Amino acid sequence: MSSFGKLNPITFYFVSIISFVLANVIREQSVPAYYLSLMVGVIFFFLGLYKRVNSNK
């Protein structure tokens, strides 16, 4: 878990974008994987936002 602390916010944003694109691609094939990918994207987006806000203080 300590490795997450060393990552840049842009890394979290990049993972969230990849997750959203993957969700859009697999939307028709597997609905559970679609929602899982959306949740991962949202979580990583907010982790990046949290990391960016805390780094500015």
Side-chain angles (χ1 to χ4, degrees):
M1 227 30 189
S2 66
S3 63
F4 277 133
K6 297 177 185 176
L7 294 175
N8 292 335
I10 194 73
T11 307
F12 290 110
Y13 294 141
F14 186 66
V15 171
S16 72
I17 289 171
I18 290 173
S19 226
F20 290 138
V21 169
L22 181 65
N24 198 19
V25 169
I26 63 172
R27 178 177 38 187
E28 297 296 323
Q29 286 85 13
S30 175
V31 175
Y34 167 72
Y35 285 115
L36 179 68
S37 186
L38 278 180
M39 287 292 111
V40 168
V42 168
I43 289 169
F44 274 97
F45 175 77
F46 282 117
L47 281 174
L49 189 64
Y50 176 75
K51 178 94 169 145
R52 181 170 172 120
V53 168
N54 280 343
S55 69
N56 287 339
K57 290 182 180 181

